[in-house]
mmCIF file of all heavy atoms in Angstrom:
data_model
loop_
_atom_site.group_PDB
_atom_site.id
_atom_site.type_symbol
_atom_site.label_atom_id
_atom_site.label_comp_id
_atom_site.label_asym_id
_atom_site.label_seq_id
_atom_site.Cartn_x
_atom_site.Cartn_y
_atom_site.Cartn_z
ATOM 1 N N GLU B 10 90.843 100.638 103.687
ATOM 2 C CA GLU B 10 90.559 99.385 102.988
ATOM 3 C C GLU B 10 90.708 99.544 101.475
ATOM 4 O O GLU B 10 90.335 100.573 100.907
ATOM 5 C CB GLU B 10 89.152 98.911 103.329
ATOM 6 C CG GLU B 10 89.003 98.519 104.791
ATOM 7 C CD GLU B 10 87.696 97.802 105.074
ATOM 8 O OE1 GLU B 10 86.889 97.643 104.148
ATOM 9 O OE2 GLU B 10 87.493 97.401 106.232
ATOM 10 N N PHE B 14 93.202 92.929 94.533
ATOM 11 C CA PHE B 14 93.751 92.545 93.242
ATOM 12 C C PHE B 14 92.989 93.207 92.104
ATOM 13 O O PHE B 14 91.773 93.348 92.171
ATOM 14 C CB PHE B 14 93.689 91.016 93.098
ATOM 15 C CG PHE B 14 94.419 90.481 91.904
ATOM 16 C CD1 PHE B 14 95.797 90.430 91.901
ATOM 17 C CD2 PHE B 14 93.725 90.053 90.790
ATOM 18 C CE1 PHE B 14 96.483 89.948 90.799
ATOM 19 C CE2 PHE B 14 94.402 89.563 89.684
ATOM 20 C CZ PHE B 14 95.777 89.513 89.684
ATOM 21 N N VAL B 17 94.228 94.221 84.461
ATOM 22 C CA VAL B 17 93.786 95.032 83.322
ATOM 23 C C VAL B 17 94.636 94.696 82.106
ATOM 24 O O VAL B 17 95.746 94.168 82.217
ATOM 25 C CB VAL B 17 93.890 96.551 83.594
ATOM 26 C CG1 VAL B 17 93.003 96.963 84.743
ATOM 27 C CG2 VAL B 17 95.318 96.988 83.827
ATOM 28 N N ASP B 21 94.508 99.865 78.567
ATOM 29 C CA ASP B 21 93.251 100.244 79.227
ATOM 30 C C ASP B 21 93.547 101.137 80.428
ATOM 31 O O ASP B 21 94.694 101.303 80.842
ATOM 32 C CB ASP B 21 92.490 99.001 79.686
ATOM 33 C CG ASP B 21 91.878 98.235 78.527
ATOM 34 O OD1 ASP B 21 91.911 98.759 77.382
ATOM 35 O OD2 ASP B 21 91.378 97.121 78.758
ATOM 36 N N SER B 23 93.174 101.835 84.483
ATOM 37 C CA SER B 23 93.040 101.090 85.751
ATOM 38 C C SER B 23 92.440 102.032 86.775
ATOM 39 O O SER B 23 92.826 103.205 86.835
ATOM 40 C CB SER B 23 94.410 100.642 86.266
ATOM 41 O OG SER B 23 95.127 99.953 85.290
ATOM 42 N N ASP B 31 88.766 107.876 108.900
ATOM 43 C CA ASP B 31 88.942 109.072 109.731
ATOM 44 C C ASP B 31 88.749 110.346 108.912
ATOM 45 O O ASP B 31 89.548 110.644 108.024
ATOM 46 C CB ASP B 31 90.329 109.055 110.367
ATOM 47 C CG ASP B 31 90.396 109.962 111.581
ATOM 48 O OD1 ASP B 31 90.000 111.137 111.463
ATOM 49 O OD2 ASP B 31 90.849 109.495 112.642
ATOM 50 N N SER B 32 87.729 111.089 109.222
ATOM 51 C CA SER B 32 87.406 112.288 108.439
ATOM 52 C C SER B 32 88.368 113.447 108.713
ATOM 53 O O SER B 32 88.338 114.447 108.014
ATOM 54 C CB SER B 32 85.969 112.738 108.743
ATOM 55 O OG SER B 32 85.828 112.982 110.127
ATOM 56 N N TYR B 36 95.926 114.770 104.494
ATOM 57 C CA TYR B 36 96.351 114.380 103.153
ATOM 58 C C TYR B 36 96.050 112.895 102.940
ATOM 59 O O TYR B 36 96.035 112.120 103.899
ATOM 60 C CB TYR B 36 97.867 114.572 102.977
ATOM 61 C CG TYR B 36 98.306 116.008 102.875
ATOM 62 C CD1 TYR B 36 98.768 116.685 103.998
ATOM 63 C CD2 TYR B 36 98.281 116.677 101.657
ATOM 64 C CE1 TYR B 36 99.181 118.005 103.907
ATOM 65 C CE2 TYR B 36 98.691 117.996 101.558
ATOM 66 C CZ TYR B 36 99.143 118.650 102.684
ATOM 67 O OH TYR B 36 99.554 119.955 102.588
ATOM 68 N N LEU B 37 95.847 112.560 101.675
ATOM 69 C CA LEU B 37 95.708 111.151 101.306
ATOM 70 C C LEU B 37 96.708 110.859 100.208
ATOM 71 O O LEU B 37 96.918 111.690 99.306
ATOM 72 C CB LEU B 37 94.274 110.859 100.852
ATOM 73 C CG LEU B 37 93.299 111.034 102.020
ATOM 74 C CD1 LEU B 37 92.162 111.954 101.650
ATOM 75 C CD2 LEU B 37 92.786 109.678 102.480
ATOM 76 N N TYR B 38 97.340 109.711 100.299
ATOM 77 C CA TYR B 38 98.472 109.409 99.430
ATOM 78 C C TYR B 38 98.247 108.114 98.655
ATOM 79 O O TYR B 38 97.535 107.212 99.097
ATOM 80 C CB TYR B 38 99.742 109.211 100.273
ATOM 81 C CG TYR B 38 100.170 110.415 101.079
ATOM 82 C CD1 TYR B 38 99.642 110.649 102.347
ATOM 83 C CD2 TYR B 38 101.131 111.290 100.590
ATOM 84 C CE1 TYR B 38 100.047 111.743 103.099
ATOM 85 C CE2 TYR B 38 101.545 112.385 101.339
ATOM 86 C CZ TYR B 38 101.010 112.601 102.583
ATOM 87 O OH TYR B 38 101.418 113.679 103.325
ATOM 88 N N GLY B 45 110.092 93.503 95.999
ATOM 89 C CA GLY B 45 111.341 93.600 96.752
ATOM 90 C C GLY B 45 111.846 95.004 96.979
ATOM 91 O O GLY B 45 112.988 95.184 97.430
ATOM 92 N N LEU B 50 106.435 107.330 96.404
ATOM 93 C CA LEU B 50 105.289 108.224 96.434
ATOM 94 C C LEU B 50 104.868 108.560 95.006
ATOM 95 O O LEU B 50 105.648 109.092 94.227
ATOM 96 C CB LEU B 50 105.642 109.514 97.189
ATOM 97 C CG LEU B 50 104.555 110.587 97.221
ATOM 98 C CD1 LEU B 50 103.313 110.093 97.961
ATOM 99 C CD2 LEU B 50 105.080 111.866 97.879
ATOM 100 N N LEU B 69 90.757 110.964 92.584
ATOM 101 C CA LEU B 69 89.445 111.515 92.930
ATOM 102 C C LEU B 69 89.186 111.285 94.405
ATOM 103 O O LEU B 69 89.437 110.195 94.920
ATOM 104 C CB LEU B 69 88.351 110.835 92.105
ATOM 105 C CG LEU B 69 88.383 111.064 90.593
ATOM 106 C CD1 LEU B 69 87.259 110.272 89.929
ATOM 107 C CD2 LEU B 69 88.246 112.542 90.274
ATOM 108 N N SER B 97 96.715 110.320 106.232
ATOM 109 C CA SER B 97 97.605 110.895 107.241
ATOM 110 C C SER B 97 96.765 111.452 108.373
ATOM 111 O O SER B 97 95.764 112.123 108.150
ATOM 112 C CB SER B 97 98.477 111.993 106.641
ATOM 113 O OG SER B 97 97.702 113.108 106.293
ATOM 114 N N LYS B 105 101.006 110.936 110.934
ATOM 115 C CA LYS B 105 101.218 109.488 110.962
ATOM 116 C C LYS B 105 100.448 108.888 109.793
ATOM 117 O O LYS B 105 99.314 109.273 109.524
ATOM 118 C CB LYS B 105 100.672 108.978 112.292
ATOM 119 C CG LYS B 105 100.616 107.499 112.477
ATOM 120 C CD LYS B 105 100.057 107.215 113.888
ATOM 121 C CE LYS B 105 99.611 105.793 114.043
ATOM 122 N NZ LYS B 105 99.088 105.530 115.391
ATOM 123 N N ALA B 110 95.904 97.675 102.787
ATOM 124 C CA ALA B 110 96.637 96.421 102.579
ATOM 125 C C ALA B 110 97.306 96.356 101.216
ATOM 126 O O ALA B 110 98.123 95.472 100.975
ATOM 127 C CB ALA B 110 95.690 95.230 102.745
ATOM 128 N N ALA B 115 97.910 93.841 88.073
ATOM 129 C CA ALA B 115 98.565 93.003 87.073
ATOM 130 C C ALA B 115 98.143 93.508 85.700
ATOM 131 O O ALA B 115 96.946 93.616 85.419
ATOM 132 C CB ALA B 115 98.158 91.545 87.258
#
Side-chain angles (χ1 to χ4, degrees):
Chain B
E10 294 191 358
F14 189 75
V17 298
D21 288 352
S23 308
D31 200 309
S32 58
Y36 288 96
L37 294 128
Y38 299 86
L50 176 63
L69 295 178
S97 68
K105 172 179 164 180

